[in-house]
């Protein structure tokens, strides 16, 4: 059960953050939280993981740059997630609480930002228990180049590292296609050993106001 929940969380709730950041104002709207440039209205993303199509996500923004809808295709029957968001004085999201329409699935993510206003760490909780901790590493272009995860699972505790390669960008400077290499490590016979590798391609359709 933990492994299934963690997979859904790490591939969708957290991965939507991975992008290139630019801060145009002192107040950081949600578009910047998700690493977006320009007056983005909506994003529709799709995944292909090791040759298999996987659920994607949809993000809608209002004209002030705040996220008005967050939906994960293929999870919770395509229903819009009910979210409660806590913010700091810069309007940055510090806590994201989500649950399905039937109130059965509950996720809480806490975010920590660096001095440049970018997400540096995230802590994901499932029904009150920490299941994933993440560290974000940015490249020279301000894009997330790597995410390091510690997965707390009583049956399969593991570490994951995802390396990103950005392939295509639109005229505004937002990426529209990227590739990720996700490597999972486990301690075997006292040594950290790679137990699985996944290569995925993520594509985004971006609409602007």
């Amino acid at each position: 059960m933990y492994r299934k929940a963690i997979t859904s969380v790490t591939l969708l709730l957290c991965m939507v953050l991975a992008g290139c950041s630019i801060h145009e104002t002192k107040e950081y709207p949600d578009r910047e939280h998700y690493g977006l440039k320009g007056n983005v209205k909506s994003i529709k993303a799709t995944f292909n993981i090791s040759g298999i199509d996987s659920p994607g996500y949809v993000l809608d923004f209002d004209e002030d740059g705040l996220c008005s809808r967050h939906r994960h295709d293929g999870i919770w029957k395509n229903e819009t997630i009910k979210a409660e968001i806590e913010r700091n004085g810069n309007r940055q999201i510090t806590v994201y609480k989500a649950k399905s329409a039937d109130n059965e699935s509950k996720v809480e993510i806490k975010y920590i930002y660096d001095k440049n206003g970018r997400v540096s760490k995230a802590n994901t909780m499932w029904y009150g228990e920490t299941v994933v901790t993440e560290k974000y590493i940015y490249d020279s272009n301000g894009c997330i180049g790597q995410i390091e995860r510690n997965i707390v699972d009583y049956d399969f505790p593991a570490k994951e590292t995802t390396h990103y390669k950005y392939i295509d960008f639109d005229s505004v400077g937002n990426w529209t296609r990227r590739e990720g290499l996700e490597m999972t490590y486990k301690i075997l016979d006292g040594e950290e050993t790679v137990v699985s590798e996944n290569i995925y391609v993520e594509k985004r359709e971006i609409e602007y106001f």
Side-chain angles (χ1 to χ4, degrees):
M1 180 182 72
Y2 274 100
R3 186 62 183 171
K4 182 178 180 181
I6 291 167
T7 299
S8 298
V9 170
T10 55
L11 287 181
L12 294 172
L13 281 174
C14 298
M15 278 171 40
V16 294
L17 284 176
C20 303
S21 298
I22 183 170
H23 301 296
E24 300 172 346
T25 65
K26 293 182 179 180
E27 291 189 340
Y28 302 104
D30 296 349
R31 283 191 291 252
E32 296 188 16
H33 176 82
Y34 293 111
L36 296 167
K37 302 176 183 180
N39 200 13
V40 174
K41 182 178 181 180
S42 67
I43 288 179
K44 181 178 181 181
T46 57
F47 294 95
N48 184 285
I49 302 175
S50 297
I52 300 174
D53 291 333
S54 300
Y57 61 87
V58 174
L59 296 175
D60 290 335
F61 299 89
D62 62 24
E63 294 191 53
D64 292 326
L66 300 180
C67 187
S68 58
R69 186 178 70 148
H70 191 168
R71 191 189 78 202
H72 295 155
D73 294 335
I75 293 181
W76 298 331
K77 299 178 181 179
N78 261 357
E79 294 170 335
T80 300
I81 293 173
K82 294 181 178 179
E84 297 178 8
I85 294 175
E86 297 178 12
R87 302 176 186 274
N88 60 20
N90 289 325
R91 295 200 303 170
Q92 293 167 310
I93 298 174
T94 55
V95 180
Y96 178 95
K97 299 178 182 179
K99 57 185 177 181
S100 59
D102 57 13
N103 296 324
E104 291 185 359
S105 300
K106 298 181 180 179
V107 178
E108 180 175 325
I109 306 175
K110 296 182 178 180
Y111 297 103
I112 298 174
Y113 295 83
D114 64 18
K115 63 181 180 181
N116 295 315
R118 305 175 302 192
V119 175
S120 59
K121 296 180 181 179
N123 180 45
T124 301
M125 304 181 73
W126 188 267
Y127 286 97
E129 294 187 51
T130 297
V131 291
V132 181
T133 60
E134 294 186 308
K135 179 181 179 181
Y136 294 78
I137 300 172
Y138 294 81
D139 63 21
S140 59
N141 295 318
C143 297
I144 294 178
Q146 181 175 311
I147 297 179
E148 298 176 352
R149 297 185 184 93
N150 284 310
I151 299 176
V152 181
D153 189 326
Y154 299 113
D155 297 322
F156 190 72
K159 294 182 178 180
E160 287 184 352
T161 300
T162 303
H163 301 272
Y164 294 102
K165 180 180 180 181
Y166 296 87
I167 309 300
D168 296 323
F169 293 80
D170 64 15
S171 60
V172 179
N174 289 313
W175 64 267
T176 55
R177 185 168 72 94
R178 68 172 179 179
E179 295 178 357
L181 172 61
E182 183 182 83
M183 305 177 69
T184 302
Y185 303 84
K186 187 177 180 181
I187 302 298
L188 299 175
D189 298 325
E191 296 185 1
E192 195 172 83
T193 305
V194 177
V195 294
S196 69
E197 292 186 9
N198 284 313
I199 298 175
Y200 71 85
V201 176
E202 181 180 358
K203 296 181 179 180
R204 302 196 302 187
E205 296 179 8
I206 304 176
E207 181 181 357
Y208 297 87
F209 282 102

